[in-house]
Amino acid sequence: MEVKDILKELEYNKGYFPEKVLKEAISRQKEINDDLLRILKDTSQNLSIKAGEDYYFAHIYSMYILAQFRDERAYPVLIKLITSSQEEVDVLLEI
């Protein structure tokens, strides 16, 4: 499975936990790390658009995997994300 395929699989909540795909992503840390950071940045910069997308979930999986990687570059992006428009943040972080 290529990184682009992993990211596509993790983009939306499909009603089940994609354990196999997440394990694949975690096993490919060097290849996928920057893409996960890009997803968080994109979500933060396009908050109202992402909040309006039904079942958008890439940011949640990105946070989960980046936490596993302990990538400190994600912290300022997360702070920006969670301190943005409270209504949109609530929609995006509703699980």
Side-chain angles (χ1 to χ4, degrees), residues 3-88:
V3 169
K4 67 179 176 123
D5 299 322
I6 293 169
L7 296 172
K8 180 122 177 96
E9 284 295 312
L10 298 178
E11 191 168 5
Y12 293 96
N13 182 342
K14 297 177 182 168
Y16 60 87
F17 186 73
E19 183 176 358
K20 182 179 176 182
V21 178
L22 288 169
K23 284 182 177 180
E24 180 72 19
I26 291 167
S27 74
R28 315 258 307 263
Q29 179 177 356
K30 289 185 178 200
E31 295 172 74
I32 204 166
N33 203 52
D34 289 341
D35 290 309
L36 298 173
L37 282 167
R38 181 190 46 76
I39 288 168
L40 280 185
K41 287 177 184 175
D42 181 59
T43 301
S44 178
Q45 293 168 351
N46 299 292
L47 196 57
S48 49
I49 294 169
K50 296 301 181 183
E53 287 186 37
D54 290 339
Y55 306 107
Y56 179 73
F57 222 70
H59 61 296
I60 299 291
Y61 292 130
S62 293
M63 286 187 273
Y64 170 79
I65 297 168
L66 288 166
Q68 294 260 332
F69 295 165
R70 300 188 189 284
D71 189 332
E72 294 180 8
R73 297 177 299 163
Y75 298 153
V77 181
L78 287 171
I79 297 299
K80 182 178 185 235
L81 177 66
I82 64 173
T83 58
S84 298
S85 165
Q86 194 60 50
E87 185 177 307
E88 291 167 337

